Amino acid sequence: MFKRILIANRGEIALRIIRACRELGVESVCVHSQADAGGTWLEQADRTVCIGPGPSKDSYLRIDRIIAAAELTHADAIHPGYGFLSENSHFAVVVRDSGFTFIGPSPEAMNLLGDKVNCKRMAKQSGTPIFPGTDGGIEDLEEAVKVAAEIGYPVIVKAAGGGGGRGMRIARDEAELRAGVDSARQEAAAAFGNPMVYVEKYLEQARHFEVQVIGDNHGNSIHLYERDCSSQRRHQKLIEEAPAPGVDPAKRDRVCASAAALIRNAKYCGAATCEFLMDKDQNFYMLEVNTRVQVEHPISEAITGVDIVQTGIRVAAGEKLPYRQEDIRINGHAIEFRINAEDPDRNFMPQAGLVETWAPPGGPGIRMDSHVRAGYRVPPNYDSMVGKLIVHAPDRATCIQRSLGALKEFKVGPIKTTIPLHMRLLREPQFVNATHDIKYVERLLAAK
Ligand code: ADP
């Protein structure tokens, strides 16, 4: 096991990793920006190092300063958390070449699964269901037109190096496809430095289904079942739940096993998520693989009892996965609510500033992952998520009831948060009956 882990992140996920380190008997070093000086989570770390000014590009994204901090504090491993440098394979290379262990996949595995065209090819070989579409990147436009005619419109043009919902174009006929390929290529070249685009079938109505997987460096991988993250606004997840409601158990087992096979074939070490869209007939189509621990990992921890962050550290240290697939069972239902410092009544305007009141809920089945307490000042520089409320109960109906109570107890002020929106969504018949899809939140917000 490591002696000292440097955490290259902030806020709730830094705190989550500090807690895991403590239980493993590992010291933690937390780097931070000037804007985060005095951050509540830093009190919990064994050491802290300031690495630069508030803007991420001058601190949390500065590879040179993070490596210098690791050298200075004699850390032996670096945990990237999520966001920031977590999916940057160059960072993973520099960490390794500087003599530290990167807590996550090798840069090779990251590149294999992080590039969408490579990943699709690999998925096909592993029996992971993918969207029908072009086999690789588009070499010539006529080939794309031919493939689109075969699979039928609408189709979507996507960037191999894409992320954050950019570089995508929906085409409903041939003319739109011809125009879309060109503009998507230009956007992809500018945004990701890689002009390669591909075409796949576009699903009009779908649910977001993602499989939590974890692998080690000894050729083992398992899945921890799935999460449904269909409650989204602008591709940002608001509510996640595990397991996905109403999915046929045999279909679920098959797709989850295929995701575990995919990361095994990529020689992947650590936690990852295979994202899928699911159509109304419960067919699955892989979207992408996230090569890091995800924001919503706690709901998978709740229903399986596996500590994903600790397990990720153990396998990075060279241990074998302490579970076999047969050991993993689903226990009850869990829902996570992202508490964002945003005003849902004013177009989700970010709410930086002093938190005077912070009174999170308690009681059976309630877990709160947050770095915030009364007196904390939300800096304007970073993501608006200030906490995650995770509710666990024996079944989905009880979980929804328990969540309504917990959200009612939860008092935050004067900054506005997404709490009232969550309460509204929990009462929506579409959500309650699990007939919702990835567009339902936006439809509701548009209708008011
Ligand atoms: P990014 O890495 O940019 O987030 P994804 O491949 O995860 O890209 O796609 C982002 C979102 O775009 C998905 O969550 C989904 O809402 C939509 N999307 C992507 N591909 C398709 C598709 N083939 N059919 C329907 N929607 C899609």
Side-chain angles (χ1 to χ4, degrees):
M1 184 44 66
F2 305 114
K3 197 167 164 294
R4 195 172 294 132
I5 293 175
L6 180 135
I7 301 163
N9 216 300
R10 64 178 299 282
E12 75 85 19
I13 192 65
L15 183 57
R16 173 72 187 87
I17 298 164
I18 292 169
R19 286 173 172 153
C21 287
R22 220 187 259 149
E23 290 183 22
L24 290 167
V26 176
E27 287 177 29
S28 54
V29 178
C30 216
V31 296
H32 67 90
S33 68
Q34 285 163 4
D36 277 337
T40 50
W41 66 97
L42 299 173
E43 293 165 19
Q44 304 303 321
D46 293 295
R47 286 190 70 177
T48 62
V49 182
C50 184
I51 53 167
S56 308
K57 67 170 187 12
D58 300 321
S59 47
Y60 295 107
L61 296 175
R62 281 291 296 262
I63 295 177
D64 54 342
R65 293 188 182 163
I66 292 167
I67 298 293
E71 283 169 349
L72 191 77
T73 56
H74 302 286
D76 40 16
I78 298 183
H79 200 310
Y82 54 66
F84 295 128
L85 295 166
S86 60
E87 294 184 276
N88 181 322
S89 61
H90 172 65
F91 179 56
V93 168
V94 176
V95 168
R96 185 170 67 186
D97 290 353
S98 306
F100 304 103
T101 303
F102 181 80
I103 301 181
S106 68
E108 293 76 19
M110 200 188 281
N111 282 333
L112 204 55
L113 297 178
D115 179 286
K116 294 184 184 189
V117 165
N118 283 341
C119 184
K120 245 182 125 162
R121 197 171 294 135
M122 185 110 207
K124 205 170 175 181
Q125 290 161 5
S126 307
T128 314
I130 54 175
F131 281 101
T134 47
D135 265 338
I138 299 171
E139 298 289 339
D140 86 276
L141 189 55
E142 297 316 313
E143 176 205 331
V145 170
K146 194 167 147 255
V147 170
E150 278 164 24
I151 60 178
Y153 289 90
V155 298
I156 182 167
V157 184
K158 294 170 75 172
R166 284 182 305 170
M168 296 194 284
R169 295 284 182 284
I170 299 164
R172 300 193 180 274
D173 55 38
E174 189 180 320
E176 284 186 7
L177 177 63
R178 287 179 184 275
V181 169
D182 270 346
S183 65
R185 257 201 194 125
Q186 282 168 23
E187 186 174 325
F192 317 113
N194 175 3
M196 189 188 279
V197 298
Y198 61 100
V199 172
E200 67 187 21
K201 179 82 188 155
Y202 181 71
L203 262 189
E204 297 279 4
Q205 266 219 341
R207 270 164 62 187
H208 178 107
F209 180 104
E210 59 179 39
V211 183
Q212 175 69 58
V213 284
I214 189 158
D216 66 19
N217 272 326
H218 303 273
N220 306 303
S221 72
I222 57 169
H223 69 78
L224 302 176
Y225 290 99
E226 80 283 1
R227 301 179 283 257
D228 185 317
C229 316
S230 301
S231 299
Q232 304 180 357
R233 176 181 169 268
R234 297 196 176 161
H235 299 315
Q236 300 295 316
K237 297 162 188 167
L238 285 164
I239 300 178
E240 303 100 346
E241 59 181 315
V247 177
D248 175 73
K251 287 184 180 170
R252 149 199 297 142
D253 284 351
R254 229 177 294 133
V255 69
C256 288
S258 79
L262 172 59
I263 67 153
R264 188 158 52 240
N265 293 342
K267 297 193 168 37
Y268 188 98
C269 179
T273 297
C274 295
E275 296 192 330
F276 296 85
L277 289 182
M278 179 181 83
D279 70 14
K280 57 182 185 325
D281 301 319
Q282 303 196 348
N283 295 306
F284 298 92
Y285 306 94
M286 196 187 73
L287 278 175
E288 63 173 339
V289 178
N290 292 133
T291 57
R292 54 172 161 82
V293 68
Q294 276 192 301
V295 172
E296 57 270 26
H297 74 273
I299 52 174
S300 302
E301 297 187 323
I303 63 157
T304 62
V306 172
D307 187 315
I308 294 170
V309 176
Q310 272 193 28
T311 308
I313 294 172
R314 284 183 186 281
V315 293
E319 292 183 21
K320 279 190 180 159
L321 268 183
Y323 310 94
R324 288 162 310 166
Q325 192 62 59
E326 311 84 87
D327 302 329
I328 309 300
R329 300 245 184 290
I330 298 178
N331 170 25
H333 198 86
I335 308 182
E336 177 181 276
F337 302 88
R338 294 196 189 193
I339 311 301
N340 297 341
E342 294 171 355
D343 186 352
D345 289 333
R346 292 172 67 197
N347 202 27
F348 294 83
M349 191 200 285
Q351 306 277 296
L354 183 66
V355 181
E356 287 173 25
T357 307
W358 180 265
I366 305 293
R367 166 175 167 184
M368 193 64 220
D369 277 21
S370 174
H371 56 290
V372 177
R373 60 182 178 224
Y376 177 75
R377 196 172 276 283
V378 179
N381 312 70
Y382 312 107
D383 191 84
S384 64
M385 197 182 72
V386 288
K388 309 184 307 204
L389 168 65
I390 301 108
V391 182
H392 186 208
D395 56 71
R396 188 170 190 261
T398 315
C399 197
I400 291 177
Q401 271 312 107
R402 185 170 277 177
S403 300
L404 279 166
L407 290 162
K408 190 164 168 240
E409 272 182 42
F410 204 161
K411 297 283 181 259
V412 184
I415 61 160
K416 299 276 190 277
T417 71
T418 39
I419 293 172
L421 175 65
H422 291 316
M423 297 187 72
R424 179 178 167 199
L425 295 177
L426 280 184
R427 294 195 179 98
E428 257 322 301
Q430 291 179 76
F431 181 83
V432 175
N433 303 326
T435 54
H436 58 319
D437 64 86
I438 49 175
K439 304 270 172 63
Y440 93 100
V441 173
E442 289 187 356
R443 280 197 304 268
L444 271 176
L445 291 171
K448 265 282 167 187

